[in-house]
Amino acid sequence: MAEAPPLPPKPRRKRFIPKYDVDGVHRIAIGEETQIQIEMVMGQDITPQSPWKLASKAKIMENIDVGGELSEFFPLKAELEAYTQNEVLMGFIEDDSNDLDEFYVCTTVEARDHCKFQSEKFLKRQAKKLQKAVEKKPRPWKSLGSEIEITELIPINTRPFLELEIKTAFPTVYQPEKFSIRDSSSVRDGYLELTPYRQKFNCVFQRRIDTGVQANPARKTRHAQTELRYPQNVWTQSIADALGGNTTEAGGGGDTKTEKGAGGDGVADDDDEDEKPEKEPIDEVALKPFRDAEMRMRRASYIKLMTNFMTTKDSEMDSIIALNTVMDMYCNDYPNLVTQKATGVVYDSMTFEDYVCFTDVRAKNKYVSSAVFHPMWTGIVAISYADASPAVMNTLSTRPDPIKRAVYGLNPVMIWSHIDSLIPKLYLESPREVKVLSFCPFNENILIGGCINGQVVVWDLTNKLENVEKIEVLTETREKYRIAMNAHMGWMKRISDKAVVPATALSNLMTNHYGAVTAIEWLSPNFFISQTGHTELLTDGKKSSIFFTGSEDGTILIWNLSVENVAVFGGKKVKKSLRIAKRPSGLLVDVSPFCVLDRVFQPTYKIILGITGQPDTLALQSLAMTPCPITYTYTPKPIATGRKYFTCSILPQKEEDLNTVMYCGSQHGEMRRITWEGHAFNTGEVVNSEYCAMKYRCYIHDGIITCSKKNPFLHHVTMTVGGKIIAIWSDKLMNRPLIWKKRPHRLTDAVWSLYKPSLLFITTGEGNMETWDLLLRSDLPIAVQTLSGTQLTGINLHTLPLAKNIIGVSDSNGSFQMFLDPPIFMIENESYKARFDSMLSRELNVMQSFISWQDNWLKQNPQVLLEIKRKEGALLLEKEEQKRKAKEAEEKRLEEEAEARRLAKQRIIGPAERWTMIVNKLIERTIAVKKRINKAELIEQEKPLRELEAQRLEKERRMLEIMKNQTNIFNDTVAILFPEAIKKPPKPAKTYLPPDKGAVKREYIEDYEYLKESAMRTVKENPYHASFSWEATLSEGKERREALNTYEDYLNVHKARLNFDVQDLTVRPQLKKESNKEAVSTVEFSEATTET
């Protein structure tokens, strides 16, 4: 039989090609500048996959008006003016043969709809084609004869089933088997050997037997009675009965009455539903007491009494409200715990969690000199690295060459993001090593740095991060061309890197600092400082950009970062190029307006940290000023960068809000509080200067003051850290700190919390971070956590709000670690500020009262002050005498050693002795040559012998020590084994008295009467009246307890009160009968009288 002829192949489907050449569609070529203007840039706004986009008609008409006939859209001006829609549909024409970028422009509504339809249809066809290419359609199986072999490999059960016949009694009673323990070692057949050789084990399929078992536990009903541990004081008063209100309408929960119909079926008639319930008459007799009380409450005397009562009970009401906030005593929580999930935050830990760590190879063997978080972008931190850190003490054998370091050394300044911890986002270039950084608090793009040579460097970060994070999209053809070009230009060095940001401006070397810049602070933008040093309040919405820099040379410079106010730099006018009236837009992209300040940027005013007429100045290390009054608001942006953006709002200020007080910490542990006044005229200097007005100085710190910071909530409070001491200063107290504590280890840096005024974090040289809360306790930290194996050099806080805020810590290895704050340190409460302020006021009053009393007492008793000075002078003379004797002994020892060396040199060696030495050396040299002995190898071979000899000598020394102490060892052994046989004499008590106690006793007895009379006279003339109040003491204790534990203190108070009531109170229940409707039982508690 002849085979059927094969079917002819199906005709190939015709390729769909969209047709855009219709009426109303124009084809024009558009340049890159116009594409940017109308937002139609290929690869950025449109792609080959979606080449069509709606462009703004207003921008197109603006291009036509500006360019005129040179505009690409000028030929379509009439059609575009007649076009009624606000947006024009445009499409990119992909043509690799043409060097110009051509676009379709739809000037009519019909053309727009046609192009949309054609584009969507083409995209659908392309997507379907791509799907077909990815998902292959299965074809029918074409047999080639291999299915027989595959079938043979499938295991088939050919063994017949076993037929079993079982005869049992029904119902079957199963008896459980009782197993016995059989020792396999005590019997002969206790082991079984399984040999796989030439044996085949077939699996036997077990038959399934389904059985049902019902398990139902027995029910047990139990009753439990619970008693509320917390007292309830419930009292309600209602005038509903007196006013005659309806309980049903009021929702009182009473029984609802229904009127029966005529049939008595209990269903209300339709006519009765429209009838309103009768209103009960008002009970004037019951309402009279309420109205009388209302009239009394309107009196001024009653209002005054209520105000005084609420004022006195304010603290108790706060305590009760706080307790009710934590625990609702009138709510049953058990159903809520079962039906609802616990979503509250548990404050059970004060441990910081590891987040990310920043380390770069370019910062190897360097320290983190400064690290600051961005004030308006979350997760962005700027870090500078230096060869030395003020918090680290190093000993160097040789001083490094500063010229070689400046020429060949790296000066890394990097911008990191918490999203990517592997590489920095930006690398900022700097000519010299940067010691300190500071972001502008009201300009998100400005970063200021202070260099080691005294220069100030300015970086403008406008669009720098966006350019790095932007992903470049290229067509396949362009990507292919780029790869081909890079392959042929491998020899070419890439000089343009978007991640490298050069310095925008540098200060003038002639007018900047002469030492390293160590501190940068910003002035409030509401004020302006003139060239004569006077501070003015800006009006009419003007804002300034003024910052302060402190240096090791003992000066503070004031800089004005503004291009508008700068007309002359260095006595020369800035010339403008007249050749080009307007530069092309391509040359103005990412060009900072602060470039004109490069190399000519100079300070406005100088403050010298010294005393007039004295050459010594303060080597400044840290500076503290009043922070700028700025608030930040979250402003979302349509940019997928993984961070939040904030905008700043500058709060208005008055002239009295200006605070020119600055706290300056030096490298020698000195703290100065200074201010400046300014000149009434221009002094004629290049930069006008003045000596600071020093309020006071203090030498309380025992090391370099690495930190001086103002409290963000209370601006009159300042914290300084130096050496092992932390001090809290107040603007209201002079010459001494308000609180200071000394720690056992060196403190390196500290920072105030942004959530609680009394909370601060301190880093130590042991790698620990201490958390202090001055409201809870001021003698020790409330938590200590080890964050690094080496010493910590700095600490910084993330200034913007996050779900879990970030704290950054740097260590001596050059790494910057980020940690997440525990939730307990992020609790905000408005009462914290008032409580901390009251605590500082209390400490201030105590300090001022003590100072005044001490001054008055010393004025009335000048002999005491003279005696103290005499003793100090005697002690100083004694120390000087000891130093002199030690110096003389050292000089004598050196003279003796020099004399011995001189005599050894002058010793005359005779001819015989000299000849013997020469012969011995010759014999040694001859033996070494004959026997081929290497002196170095001989010394190495003798090393084990020398070690054995040293061990032998050490053993002999120990044996000699044991022999010397054999009597003591014997006595101690006897005392341990037979303590009753040995009675050791009692050890004499330690005393500082001389051996002749009688003479000392007589000396003191002779002066006793005089001392007694003078002491009694002093006490009578200077009585001290201590003001003590039980109420104040109890309130202070209560405040400390509340601050110690936010929640448990209230519970403990109530528990203690219950225990006290149970023990010391007598309960006298009194029953009072009420109305005939119900009886109310009340329990009155009468307190037992207690004596204090």
Side-chain angles (χ1 to χ4, degrees), residues 32 52 68 198 211 213 290 488 498 523 559 607 666 675 677 698 721 792 810 825 925 1022 1077:
E32 293 184 0
W52 290 87
R198 290 188 179 181
T211 59
V213 179
F290 172 76
H488 291 289
K498 294 182 180 179
L523 182 69
W559 308 76
I607 302 173
S666 73
T675 184
E677 299 176 356
C698 188
V721 171
L792 304 179
S810 57
F825 293 153
R925 191 180 302 111
N1022 302 280
K1077 294 183 180 180

Side-chain angles (χ1 to χ4, degrees), residues 166-199:
I166 301 174
K167 295 181 180 181
T168 60
F170 186 83
T172 304
V173 179
Y174 295 97
Q175 295 295 335
E177 288 287 343
K178 294 183 179 179
F179 296 96
S180 61
I181 300 175
R182 184 185 184 192
D183 189 4
S184 60
S185 301
S186 61
V187 295
R188 296 181 61 186
D189 57 347
Y191 294 93
L192 176 65
E193 181 183 3
L194 300 178
T195 58
Y197 182 72
R198 290 188 179 181
Q199 291 187 13

Side-chain angles (χ1 to χ4, degrees), residues 613-675:
Q614 297 184 7
D616 297 335
T617 57
L618 186 72
L620 185 68
Q621 179 61 37
S622 59
L623 180 65
M625 290 181 57
T626 304
C628 303
I630 298 175
T631 58
Y632 297 98
T633 307
Y634 172 59
T635 305
K637 291 186 178 181
I639 305 175
T641 57
R643 55 178 174 267
K644 297 181 180 179
Y645 294 87
F646 288 74
T647 56
C648 66
S649 301
I650 302 173
L651 303 180
Q653 289 180 290
K654 300 179 182 178
E655 292 184 0
E656 54 269 15
D657 295 335
L658 176 64
N659 187 5
T660 59
V661 175
M662 294 185 291
Y663 288 84
C664 304
S666 73
Q667 296 181 352
H668 307 293
E670 179 184 357
M671 204 288 300
R672 292 186 184 181
R673 178 179 167 185
I674 66 165
T675 184

Side-chain angles (χ1 to χ4, degrees), residues 43 46 53 63 82 100 188 227 329 354 389 400 402 472 519 523 533-534 674 689-690 726 849 893 901 904 956:
I46 56 177
K53 183 185 175 184
N63 181 269
L100 300 177
R188 296 181 61 186
E227 180 181 358
M329 296 184 297
D354 289 334
S389 174
E472 186 177 7
L523 182 69
H534 287 285
I674 66 165
S689 63
E690 71 163 307
I726 175 176
S849 61
R893 185 182 64 81
R901 288 194 298 269
E956 291 181 357

Side-chain angles (χ1 to χ4, degrees), residues 252-405:
D255 298 335
T256 307
K257 298 179 182 180
T258 58
E259 297 180 359
K260 296 183 179 181
D265 54 355
V267 180
D269 298 338
D270 297 338
D271 297 334
D272 296 335
E273 293 180 358
D274 299 335
E275 294 181 2
K276 295 182 180 179
E278 295 181 1
K279 188 176 182 181
E280 297 181 3
I282 298 175
D283 190 357
E284 295 292 341
V285 177
L287 195 60
K288 188 175 183 305
F290 172 76
R291 290 179 176 174
D292 295 341
E294 189 177 8
M295 294 298 295
R296 289 196 299 271
M297 290 172 61
R298 294 180 180 177
R299 298 177 183 175
S301 59
Y302 185 83
I303 294 174
K304 185 177 181 181
L305 289 175
M306 287 299 297
T307 304
N308 295 336
F309 174 77
M310 295 302 296
T311 304
T312 55
K313 302 297 181 180
D314 189 10
S315 60
E316 296 182 9
M317 292 295 295
D318 291 342
S319 175
I320 294 172
I321 292 172
L323 174 62
N324 193 34
T325 303
V326 177
M327 177 176 291
D328 191 357
M329 296 184 297
Y330 312 110
C331 177
N332 188 8
D333 293 333
Y334 293 102
N336 297 335
L337 292 175
V338 174
T339 59
Q340 300 178 2
K341 286 187 177 181
T343 58
V345 181
V346 180
Y347 305 104
D348 58 347
S349 175
M350 292 190 291
T351 305
F352 292 85
E353 301 178 9
D354 289 334
Y355 186 37
V356 293
C357 180
F358 300 142
T359 305
D360 194 83
V361 294
R362 288 170 287 190
K364 186 179 180 181
N365 299 328
K366 292 181 179 292
Y367 300 99
V368 176
S369 60
S370 180
V372 289
F373 283 92
H374 200 285
M376 300 187 196
W377 300 342
T378 59
I380 299 297
V381 58
I383 304 176
S384 63
Y385 301 88
D387 293 334
S389 174
V392 181
M393 300 177 63
N394 291 330
T395 56
L396 300 177
S397 58
T398 58
R399 183 168 178 254
D401 188 2
I403 298 177
K404 184 178 179 180
R405 167 67 183 86

